């Protein structure tokens, strides 16, 4: 019985292993950095002690597994089971990615936080906006966001969540995070502004619609190969770009006027 409980605990923790992997979060943060206003960039540089947003892009994934920040483990995702909607899915009492982003944005916009607390909230926001755009982080509670959906990635036995976190983005392009930005961040200003419109709730619903299509296209036991990579590489590019542009919008709203 104890072994079973330990296994279930490990499966729950696996869901929070990290959206997009390290490279994806770096890409989102760097795209955002490239779209900051000069004033926002200066203020963020001051809050982060001279570090780039990229420097802290993956910080929360590691911090969530420490006792001090264990309360943030559920903040990386929002589960919506098949047949449910954002409004009907049971709320996680420990919080979720949408609640976390909305509350952090309010705190940062209100201002007046002690420097350490402001830096902490900013580091969290940089990471969580990336999580919001990773499709399987809006996956089913019943399979822990795809962690319980076994698939083959070429000859490697893995699960659907891991494929979308790391395997698929790395297979799409073997680029550095700066090369990702250079290649995908090329929209005219009007198109970029259209992507930046809406609210975090709108963005989560958009991501969940993508997630539903992925579940349909990738049933349990799927053998993922070159055709799947070709099909979904444009979607990976799109979600990285959406995450980066929208993070930039939030950061500019918070820090351009200070």
């Amino acid at each position: 019985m104890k072994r079973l409980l330990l296994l279930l605990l490990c499966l729950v923790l696996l869901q929070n292993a990290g959206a997009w992997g390290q490279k994806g979060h770096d890409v989102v943060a760097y795209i955002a950095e490239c779209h900051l206003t000069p004033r926002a960039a200066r203020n963020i540089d001051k809050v982060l002690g001279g570090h780039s947003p990229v420097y802290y892009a993956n910080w929360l994934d590691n911090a969530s597994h420490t006792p001090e920040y264990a309360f943030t483990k559920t903040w990386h995702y929002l589960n919506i089971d098949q047949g449910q909607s954002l409004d009907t899915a049971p709320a996680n009492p420990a919080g979720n990615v949408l609640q976390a982003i909305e509350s952090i944005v309010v705190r940062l916009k209100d201002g007046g936080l002690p420097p350490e607390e402001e830096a902490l909230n900013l580091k969290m926001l940089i990471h969580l906006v990336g999580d919001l755009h990773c499709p399987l982080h809006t996956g089913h509670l019943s399979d822990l966001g795809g962690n319980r959906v076994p698939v083959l990635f070429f000859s490697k036995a893995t699960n659907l969540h891991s494929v979308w976190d790391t395997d698929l983005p790395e297979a799409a392009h073997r680029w550095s995070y700066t090369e990702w930005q250079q290649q995908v961040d090329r929209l005219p200003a009007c198109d970029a502004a259209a992507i930046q419109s809406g609210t975090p709730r709108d963005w989560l619903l958009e991501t969940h619609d993508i997630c539903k299509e992925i579940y349909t296209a990738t049933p349990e036991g799927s053998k993922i190969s070159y055709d799947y990579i070709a099909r979904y590489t444009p979607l990976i590019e799109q979600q990285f770009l959406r995450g980066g542009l929208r993070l930039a919008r939030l950061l500019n709203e918070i820090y351009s006027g200070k």
Side-chain angles (χ1 to χ4, degrees):
M1 185 64 171
K2 289 182 179 179
R3 289 182 178 179
L4 177 59
L5 290 174
L6 181 60
L7 175 61
L8 291 175
L9 176 61
C10 289
L11 286 170
V12 171
L13 294 179
L14 276 172
Q15 188 175 6
N16 303 308
W20 290 139
Q22 181 173 336
K23 179 69 66 62
H25 279 289
D26 288 348
V27 174
V28 170
Y30 188 59
I31 290 173
E33 184 176 356
C34 291
H35 288 269
L36 294 175
T37 66
R39 177 173 289 184
R42 288 194 301 270
N43 286 326
I44 290 169
D45 183 77
K46 182 178 179 181
V47 173
L48 296 180
H51 290 300
S52 159
V54 178
Y55 186 89
Y56 289 110
N58 290 276
W59 175 84
L60 190 59
D61 271 339
N62 295 322
S64 293
H65 293 283
T66 66
E68 185 177 5
Y69 298 109
F71 67 92
T72 67
K73 283 180 180 177
T74 66
W75 291 13
H76 300 256
Y77 59 91
L78 192 161
N79 291 131
I80 304 174
D81 262 326
Q82 187 174 10
Q84 295 177 339
S85 67
L86 178 58
D87 294 321
T88 62
N92 190 324
N96 59 57
V97 65
L98 179 58
Q99 292 172 346
I101 289 172
E102 290 176 335
S103 62
I104 288 170
V105 168
V106 169
R107 286 195 293 273
L108 290 174
K109 283 185 175 180
D110 285 347
L113 296 173
E116 288 187 5
E117 189 174 343
E118 182 176 9
L120 174 62
N121 279 269
L122 178 54
K123 290 186 285 186
M124 289 178 172
L125 182 63
I126 291 166
H127 182 85
L128 294 175
V129 174
D131 282 345
L132 187 73
H133 290 84
C134 187
L136 268 295
H137 278 241
T138 66
H140 300 160
L141 177 62
S142 56
D143 59 38
L144 301 182
N147 276 297
R148 289 179 175 171
V149 179
V151 296
L152 279 176
F153 189 78
F154 292 92
S155 59
K156 181 180 77 172
T158 183
N159 63 73
L160 186 59
H161 189 103
S162 294
V163 165
W164 276 86
D165 270 5
T166 305
D167 294 325
L168 188 55
E170 288 294 338
H173 301 294
R174 292 282 181 171
W175 293 335
S176 67
Y177 70 82
T178 57
E179 289 170 326
W180 269 97
Q181 183 275 330
Q182 291 163 5
Q183 294 302 318
V184 306
D185 186 13
R186 294 171 172 237
L187 291 181
C190 58
D191 292 339
I195 287 175
Q196 291 176 312
S197 65
T199 66
R201 178 186 172 90
D202 296 329
W203 306 338
L204 183 134
L205 290 172
E206 177 187 72
T207 300
H208 182 58
D209 282 341
I210 295 169
C211 183
K212 289 188 287 187
E213 193 276 327
I214 291 169
Y215 271 112
T216 300
T218 326
E220 183 175 320
S222 292
K223 296 180 180 180
I224 295 173
S225 187
Y226 297 104
D227 56 342
Y228 193 94
I229 294 169
R231 175 178 178 179
Y232 284 112
T233 290
L235 179 58
I236 295 290
E237 296 171 356
Q238 168 189 278
Q239 291 304 101
F240 283 179
L241 182 58
R242 284 175 171 174
L245 291 174
R246 290 163 177 173
L247 175 58
R249 193 201 97 185
L250 295 176
L251 295 178
N252 284 331
E253 288 176 351
I254 294 165
Y255 286 107
S256 287
K258 292 189 176 183

